[in-house]
Amino acid sequence: MDVTIIGTGNMARGIGSRLVSGGHAVTLLGTERSNAEALAADLGGSVSAGTVGDPIADDVVVLAVWYPVTLDVAQQAGSQLDAKVVVDISNPLDTETFEPIVPDAGSGAEELAAAVPGARVVKAFNTTFAGTLSSGEVSGHQLDVLLASDDADAKRTVASLVESSGLRAVDAGPLRRARQLEALGYLHMAVQEGLGTGYGSAVKIVG
């Protein structure tokens, strides 16, 4: 499958590494083309580089950016996102106070869906840390990726990407469940200091 990742930070690296391991083709778009090219070279595989604002041809688009710029990036892409599967990985967070933000829409994913109504929004990867995605496991346990969306086909598409990349997809329900996923994502970050795991832990559902 062909996937565009907007962003060149740690999460773009982590998700990109998983997708490459699953044999998928990836296009990286960064604010600086040089950053995208450097990451593409590091990831290897079928990875190309471009700049935010370039035409988006792929059917799946991962917004691997911080919450404060997610809407700006999506709105810049505009109608290019119509009918595409758009993956929101963000956790609404005040970066100065490290306190969670609750958007008026209920979650960052629902806020995104309202801003780009033509897109098929799926919440995913917000409870996984970038470093753990590189290996796809923590202490021998396969990473869980929790998914929420109102579009069943879009959710299946992302689940297929997740599973083919060596991770386990867990269906968390409709897009409104993104509210709970974002709360869980924040909690996972908030316990890091006490655990001393350095963002190397994982949220795992065992049954």
Side-chain angles (χ1 to χ4, degrees):
M1 197 177 301
D2 297 339
V3 181
T4 291
I5 299 177
I6 299 179
T8 57
N10 290 336
M11 283 299 289
R13 178 181 295 276
I15 295 170
S17 67
R18 284 293 93 211
L19 293 175
V20 168
S21 75
H24 302 288
V26 175
T27 299
L28 295 167
L29 300 182
T31 52
E32 298 290 338
R33 186 183 181 93
S34 58
N35 292 337
E37 289 174 340
L39 180 54
D42 286 347
L43 293 178
S46 181
V47 182
S48 58
T51 306
V52 174
D54 286 353
I56 299 173
D58 299 331
D59 291 332
V60 179
V61 181
V62 179
L63 302 182
V65 295
W66 285 95
Y67 168 74
V69 299
T70 297
L71 289 186
D72 290 340
V73 169
Q75 288 169 337
Q76 182 178 351
S79 61
Q80 289 193 87
L81 299 182
D82 287 353
K84 295 187 185 299
V85 177
V86 177
V87 180
D88 171 39
I89 74 165
S90 70
N91 285 309
L93 180 71
D94 185 320
T95 55
E96 293 185 1
T97 64
F98 199 69
E99 288 297 319
I101 296 170
V102 180
D104 291 340
S107 68
E110 290 168 290
E111 187 177 52
L112 175 64
V116 284
R120 305 160 66 197
V121 175
V122 179
K123 190 75 183 186
F125 293 107
N126 76 295
T127 60
T128 57
F129 292 140
T132 62
L133 284 165
S134 295
S135 62
E137 58 88 25
V138 171
S139 300
H141 296 285
Q142 183 184 39
L143 290 187
D144 286 350
V145 178
L146 282 71
L147 313 175
S149 180
D150 291 335
D151 188 311
D153 287 339
K155 197 189 310 185
R156 279 192 290 268
T157 295
V158 177
S160 176
L161 283 170
V162 166
E163 298 279 355
S164 65
S165 300
L167 311 176
R168 184 174 77 146
V170 178
D171 189 340
L175 195 62
R176 64 179 179 273
R177 290 286 82 82
R179 305 172 190 185
Q180 287 73 45
L181 295 186
E182 289 173 7
L184 178 59
Y186 171 74
L187 180 63
H188 193 201
M189 290 186 287
V191 299
Q192 290 307 298
E193 184 176 355
L195 290 175
T197 49
Y199 293 87
S201 60
V203 172
K204 181 70 180 174
I205 297 175
V206 178

